[in-house]
Amino acid sequence: MKPSEGMTLIVKTVTRISVWLIILYGIYIILHGHLSPGGGFAGGVIIALALLNVLLAYGRGFITRWLNIGFLHDLESSSAAIFLAIGILGMAVGGGFLANFISHGKLFNLLSSGTIPLLNIVIGLKVCTGLFVVVWTLAIFHLSDKGEKQ
Amino acid sequence: MVIYILCFALLLVGIYGILTKRDLIKIILSLGIMGYAVNLMFILFAYKRGAGYAILVKDKAVTAMVDPLPQALILTSIVIELGITAMLVALAIRLFEKYKTFDITKIRRLSG
Amino acid sequence: MILPFLIIIPLLAAFLITLISGGRDSWAIVFSILAVISLLALSVFSFLSTGSQTFIYEMSGWKIPLTICLVQDALSTFMLVIVNLIALTSLMFSVSYIRQYSAPWKYYALFMLLIAGMNGVIATGDIFNLFVFMEIALFSAYALVAFGGKAEEYEASFKYAVMGSVSSTLILLGIGILYSATSTLTMAKIAEILPTLDVKLTYWVGAIFLAGFGLKAAIIPFHAWLPDAHSSAPAPISAMLSGVFIKSLGVYVLIRLFFNVFGGVAVFNEVFLVIGAISMIIGVFLALGQWDIKRLLAYHSISQIGYIIIGIGLATNLGILGGVFHLFNHAIFKALLFYNAGVLEMTTGTRDLRQMGGLAKKLPTTSFTSMIASLSIAGLPPFNGFFSKLIIFIAAIQAGRPVYAFLAGLGSLLTLASFMKMQRYAFYGKENKDADKTLAKVSTAMKWAMISLAVLCLLTSLMVIPGIRELTLDPVVAVIMNKTGYIAEVLGR
Amino acid sequence: MAISEISYLILVPLIVALINIVLPVILRKLLTAGTVIYLALLTYRLYTGDVTETLILDTVVFSVDKLALFILIFIQVLSAIILLFSLKGVKQEFQKAFFVLYPMTIAFSNGAVVSVHSISLIIFWGLTGIMLYLFAIMDKTKEASDTAKKTMIIVGGSDVFLILGLVLIWFLEPGYGWNLSNNQVLLSGELAYIAFFCIVIAAFAKAGGFPLHSWVPDFAKDAPVESAAFLPAALDKLLGIYLLARISLTIFKLTPFVHILLITLGALTVITGVMMAMIQHNGRKLLGYHAVSQVGYMIMGIGSGSILAIVGGLFHMVNHTIYKSNLFLALGAVEKRTGTNDLDELGGLGTRMPLTFLAALIGAFAISGIPPFNGFYSKWMIYQGILEIARSQSAGYQIWLLICLILVVFGSALTLASFMKFIHAIFLGKRPAKLADINEAPFNQWLATGLLSILCIGFGLFAKELPLKHFILPVMNQPGLNLLGAYSPLMLIGLFGLALLIGLIIYWITRKVRFDEVYLGGMEALEKFRITGTAFYNEIRNLKPLKGIYDSAEKKYLDIYDLGKHCSFGIAKLFSTIHNGQMLFYNLWLVVGLLILLLVIK
């Protein structure tokens, strides 16, 4: 059973190194969403792809040991809820739903543009967990399918 | 003009796919192609001759930028398409489980 | 200030349900019921407080051409009331009905997303935002159709999803063309700019939208997904889909776009009339030949949407009054009929009418409410369907189009025939001995969901009384008929 | 909103019906009886006093003219008598619902009659249809459910035509608004004709005119017998013919062509009804077909356009409701005692149930048009009226009218023939062994049939003095009619008395009759050799040209309901084969639909 798990050692090794770089890059994209191309969605997809890389290279069994899928589910839902909460906060403090209620800061600074970086982070979390969970769910499907056939 | 026609041709490819392909996965791909054609069309609409990307950078004039709104829209529509595709793939897997086939013409218990 | 909550509350409920659930379905039920009750209260309040005014809510504090706006006028609040009313009864019905499936909390989360999507479509004044909410609603609808996990359900869901995605792509295409011509996504702004442009643009975009939203509204020839999807979904979802989904995503958007944005172009009204008549007649014929009770009801949805579209297509005050009223009534009695069908399916374990029979004694509530709903959809007095159909008849003849009145009459006759068939085979006649073995219990909540809708079938007849009509339906009609008024109201000029 | 006394005609029974839902059965009966008496008194007040109108939302909704008043009176009379019959003997399982539906039906029928506003007429008309359905589904057997379905589809479906017709009238004569009371729309132009025939369809479906009659015999067979007497025999006739009279007398001015058409339809109704009635073996179904057949006379009378015939038609309607409910109730009384309504199983009850027998005999004479009973009087008036019409027509029309008239007279003769069968099969002949200990019907039942019989005789003898003078001639605004030929009931009764006397004398002279046992082949006749009342009529059924027609009628090829059913199922089948489950095909519809839209919209 074990040998079929994951790909070759080369792939695993490369993945082990590169995945952190990819995640780091994703985080960078998310954090600089308000300054440069990209943002929560793009960064989130990048992080999710990194996780998928692990999934492909190491197989399903490793992922269940490495990550707490239930936690990812919770993270996904809660990030969406936080997004809404920020929106409602904008409603309460600012002029409308999702209105900016933090100072704009200085243009081209990392800590600027009010709530947008916050939202970017939340979206990034949501997208990365969401996308990964979706693919993970599809992978689970496949598992049960094989089991049925045998 | 040619580029619009090509974009339209891409749409037609998608439509051709959903009308003739019998494989579930190919139908899903055809849907994707249709979606891409429309997305591409949005981008084409946003394009201005000689304009650059729509990112605010230091010392760059705002006027020489393409319309940024369609790009935002496209991002949204891509997300939606992603969701739908995932959904369809999941359904396709389930359908295969139940019907043991990927042929849509054989998946026809509901009729009449 | 109310409208954003109508979208936020169900979204929040959906996320909270997924967050805290994990074998604890009771929390999901509590959250969703609380959410829907508050939604209904809010929407009723907003409907009553709106009257003939228009309120605009601008998101994130920006001003109108730059931001997404929510439009609160009589039409949108009216639709919101329908959606949330049916949602509440559907949820009441779901609580015990959905126990037969695994992981009910997913159901509630998806249900909340469905409501969020529909409320969003109705509330928004921005055409792309409309598209996004529509996709949210559609997405959850696809998932809910497949919720039962049977082969037919996956099949129906897949077909629905493919056809729905094609039509969504068409809609996106139309939105793209509109954006390229007008450089704005706010519907009022588009409406303002469109008359200055070539009228051909309106025609082409209109045709594309008609196909796209026509599929959502299940107008023939874009209806093929509906009988599959509506009959395969769990009963409360069938009720939501048939009762409000096709109306909020299809008919409402068609009304909003073709009247308020395109300004009620005459040729579209003609097309509405023709496809409305086709849907009405073919739909009812298809229903007549059915033995599967839910398919029968689903085909009737096509037919009844035909009535609504005819009423709208007449484009007179009376015609639109009839159409809008019928829309409201149809939501009520069709939801009720689907609950009845759900009870029948649950208790007898089959959807085939030929295998039922003599259930009137065992299921008195279901039988009684089903009779009311049947008479109501067949257009018999004193139930609400009668009055809306009557108004459509009168409007058609008044508009000098008696042919449509006669077609509507024929449709009504055949509707009566097919519901008499349903009544006879399901509730009367000889009892089927095999059927009573698996007789499951109908819970109190289900009964109350059915009874409350049955009572509404009678009470909403009162909306034709001028005093009540002036408060309820007339502002809605005024919004639809006041075509350029929408521009002025939204843009604040 | 001004509520006058007229609206009490609707409100009081409706409220009583709603109260009845929660009461125990005995109180339901009492309350309903009280209501019926109250309604009768109220109608009398309306008849004598000044009539006030009921306004709702500043429009006149309820009002009575002479025609409506005339119908109202008979609704109250008949519902009172039939209620008397139903006080004891309604099946236990139906009782609860019966006394809720009964006052409700009265309320809606009253409402339909007093409505002068189109919309309210449509509403009450539809409601009476629903009541019919609710009565029909009381019995939960398969046949009863089928009948309920059929009844509702025909009667409820015809409501659509009523709506269309009335809306068209409103459209054609916008000056009158929705008011129906003093309209005179000329029948000219397609729309006016369509409107007229739409309403005729509704009236025919309600009253049971050819070709929309087929629900009546089925309903008569499968619904509770009280409701068969109450609705298709009495109230629905009143309502349907009321509507026909309303449109042909006060709303439309008919053209000669329409007159001839209605007369022809009437004649067809008479002959088809009676031909089908002859061969029935089920007593209720036989009466049901006669209920159809008799409508033909009314349609002829009202459609003919001659005042005499119209009066005759209205009079015939009243007479019919009286004797047909009489017959239904008599049969019902028999059925409740014996437990069957199959004519083959009955017989010889005349000595056991003499009062019921007498009532049924009077009813049978009346329906067969034997003088001096009321049926003869009205038929006589109709024939005369049609002859009078024929006189003023061209030769072709004259011949046509004569053919119709001959058909109708023949139909009348056949009616007599089939009632011979009816009476013989139930009350005469040899009594089957299992009916040995049958007793007379309860007090209330024979009282009800007796009252109706008295009305039969009274309206026949004093037609001119009572019903015509007080109820019907005022409708036509005619002080008196002098066209009745040489017929005088009193003279006729003298003749009859003479004939009876001669008969008695002959009987007296030859009274030495020897009674003996019947032997067959040297053996005492067994039960199975008993000749049933229906046996003679099997010959008719097997006559050469009729056999084919009867066969196809029994297979329901000639029923418009079944024809329509097959037709619509064929179309439905066609459409549903297109929905073949192929998604690619569905996608093609989508794309082709889009292309068509793109091409069409310009």
Side-chain angles (χ1 to χ4, degrees), chain B residues 13-58:
Chain B
V13 169
I15 291 176
Y16 170 81
I18 59 154
L19 287 181
T20 57
K21 292 296 161 207
R22 302 165 69 165
D23 193 302
L24 296 184
I25 302 299
K26 282 185 186 166
I27 290 171
I28 297 169
L29 288 178
S30 307
L31 279 178
I33 293 172
M34 268 183 88
Y36 293 143
V38 174
N39 291 350
L40 192 58
M41 189 199 70
F42 261 92
I43 298 295
L44 289 176
F45 285 151
Y47 179 66
K48 254 192 300 192
R49 198 171 290 279
Y53 53 83
I55 298 294
L56 206 54
V57 184
K58 277 176 191 161

Side-chain angles (χ1 to χ4, degrees), chain D residues 226-543:
Chain D
E226 293 86 356
S227 68
F230 185 47
L231 281 165
L235 291 199
D236 281 351
K237 289 286 176 294
L238 288 170
L239 289 177
I241 299 301
Y242 164 73
L243 186 65
L244 193 66
R246 174 66 74 198
I247 55 166
S248 47
L249 301 183
T250 60
I251 296 177
F252 285 100
K253 282 193 204 118
L254 304 192
T255 54
F257 169 72
V258 175
H259 287 310
I260 303 288
L261 191 72
L262 284 177
I263 290 175
T264 314
L265 279 174
L268 275 175
T269 310
V270 170
I271 203 76
T272 47
V274 78
M275 290 301 275
M276 288 305 296
M278 288 244 281
I279 60 158
Q280 297 305 322
H281 292 260
N282 181 300
R284 288 213 225 161
K285 231 176 161 177
L286 185 145
L287 291 180
Y289 274 114
H290 275 295
V292 173
S293 159
Q294 297 294 312
V295 173
Y297 294 101
M298 307 169 205
I299 294 170
M300 282 181 92
I302 287 166
S304 66
S306 129
I307 295 207
L308 186 59
I310 293 172
V311 171
L314 289 174
F315 189 28
H316 195 71
M317 167 186 75
V318 170
N319 294 339
H320 173 263
T321 53
I322 293 168
Y323 55 64
K324 187 47 61 64
S325 13
N326 184 5
L327 285 165
F328 264 117
L329 296 181
L331 179 65
V334 169
E335 191 186 325
K336 284 188 195 309
R337 285 293 180 204
T338 62
T340 177
N341 53 24
D342 195 329
L343 295 181
D344 296 335
E345 295 174 12
L346 292 165
L349 291 171
T351 52
R352 288 287 175 173
M353 305 176 81
L355 292 169
T356 311
F357 174 42
L358 194 63
L361 194 65
I362 290 172
F365 283 152
I367 195 174
S368 313
I370 291 183
F373 297 102
N374 54 359
F376 173 76
Y377 206 101
S378 45
K379 279 186 191 173
W380 180 247
M381 286 172 84
I382 293 168
Y383 298 155
Q384 284 216 338
I386 287 171
L387 283 174
E388 182 192 277
I389 285 282
R391 220 177 287 156
S392 61
Q393 302 289 333
S394 62
Y397 274 156
Q398 277 186 358
I399 293 170
W400 186 248
L401 282 177
L402 278 180
I403 292 173
C404 286
L405 204 57
I406 290 168
L407 271 178
V408 170
V409 174
F410 182 57
S412 193
L414 290 180
T415 310
L416 180 61
S418 73
F419 272 98
M420 288 288 100
K421 163 184 170 176
F422 181 77
I423 294 291
H424 179 265
I426 299 177
F427 296 106
L428 304 176
K430 193 168 159 39
R431 189 165 55 239
K434 64 176 174 182
L435 299 181
D437 48 352
I438 298 294
N439 291 323
E440 180 55 81
F443 163 76
N444 67 321
Q445 295 188 354
W446 63 253
L447 188 62
T449 49
L451 279 175
L452 287 167
S453 306
I454 290 169
L455 278 180
C456 276
I457 299 172
F459 277 20
L461 288 179
F462 306 105
K464 222 171 182 177
E465 291 77 15
L466 263 171
L468 286 179
K469 186 176 167 202
H470 290 293
F471 306 129
I472 304 175
L473 289 178
V475 172
M476 303 303 298
N477 291 323
Q478 297 282 327
L481 282 173
N482 299 316
L483 301 156
L484 292 175
Y487 175 69
S488 147
L490 286 177
M491 186 193 80
L492 215 81
I493 205 150
L495 284 176
F496 265 74
L498 199 65
L500 204 65
L501 203 66
I502 296 171
L504 277 174
I505 291 168
I506 293 172
Y507 174 73
W508 188 260
I509 294 169
T510 62
R511 72 181 187 283
K512 285 193 171 129
V513 183
R514 195 176 67 116
F515 286 95
D516 216 337
E517 290 297 318
V518 183
Y519 290 96
L520 269 174
M523 288 180 50
E524 209 166 312
L526 293 172
E527 173 81 23
K528 65 177 174 182
F529 292 125
R530 190 179 71 95
I531 295 169
T532 60
T534 57
F536 297 112
Y537 293 83
N538 288 340
E539 285 303 313
I540 301 170
R541 198 191 169 306
N542 292 327
L543 275 181

Side-chain angles (χ1 to χ4, degrees), chain B residues 18 24 31 38 41-42 45 67 69-70 73 80 83-84 87-88 91 94-95 98-99 107-112, chain C residues 128 135 139 142-143 149 151-152 154-159 161 165-166 169 172-173 176 179-180 290 295 299:
Chain B
I18 59 154
L24 296 184
L31 279 178
V38 174
M41 189 199 70
F42 261 92
F45 285 151
D67 188 354
L69 190 57
L73 303 185
I80 291 168
I84 298 290
M87 178 86 201
L88 281 169
L91 283 172
R94 286 295 199 193
L95 276 174
K98 301 281 180 187
Y99 289 80
I107 300 176
R108 43 175 297 198
R109 271 188 218 170
L110 294 167
S111 63
Chain C
F128 191 81
E135 288 297 323
F139 190 86
Y142 303 149
E152 286 86 356
Y154 289 128
E155 179 187 340
S157 175
F158 186 82
K159 287 178 178 171
S165 310
V166 174
T169 315
L172 193 59
L173 183 73
Y179 179 75
S180 75
Q290 282 301 324
R295 255 183 121 72
Y299 277 124

Side-chain angles (χ1 to χ4, degrees), chain C residues 357-426:
Chain C
L359 291 166
K361 264 185 203 151
K362 281 176 195 151
L363 306 167
T365 315
T366 314
S367 146
F368 186 65
T369 53
S370 150
M371 181 185 288
I372 287 180
S374 300
L375 295 178
S376 191
I377 192 174
L380 282 162
F383 303 106
N384 52 9
F386 165 76
F387 290 99
S388 44
K389 280 188 184 175
L390 181 68
I391 293 172
I392 292 173
F393 285 154
I394 296 174
I397 288 177
Q398 189 194 38
R401 293 167 185 280
V403 178
Y404 290 104
F406 277 91
L407 286 175
L410 177 66
S412 193
L413 178 60
L414 292 170
T415 309
L416 178 69
S418 75
F419 276 98
M420 283 303 118
K421 170 183 161 182
M422 187 195 101
Q423 291 279 304
R424 182 244 171 280
Y425 281 97

Side-chain angles (χ1 to χ4, degrees), chain D residues 6 9 42-51 63-76 110 113-114 242 246 470-472 474-475:
Chain D
I6 301 174
L9 282 172
L42 187 63
T43 317
Y44 183 71
R45 248 189 64 75
L46 288 178
Y47 180 67
T48 52
D50 278 339
V51 169
S63 170
V64 285
D65 58 0
K66 295 274 165 51
L67 178 60
L69 201 54
F70 156 60
I71 304 283
L72 269 183
I73 289 166
F74 284 98
I75 289 180
Q76 316 315 329
N110 285 343
V113 176
V114 299
Y242 164 73
R246 174 66 74 198
H470 290 293
F471 306 129
I472 304 175
V475 172

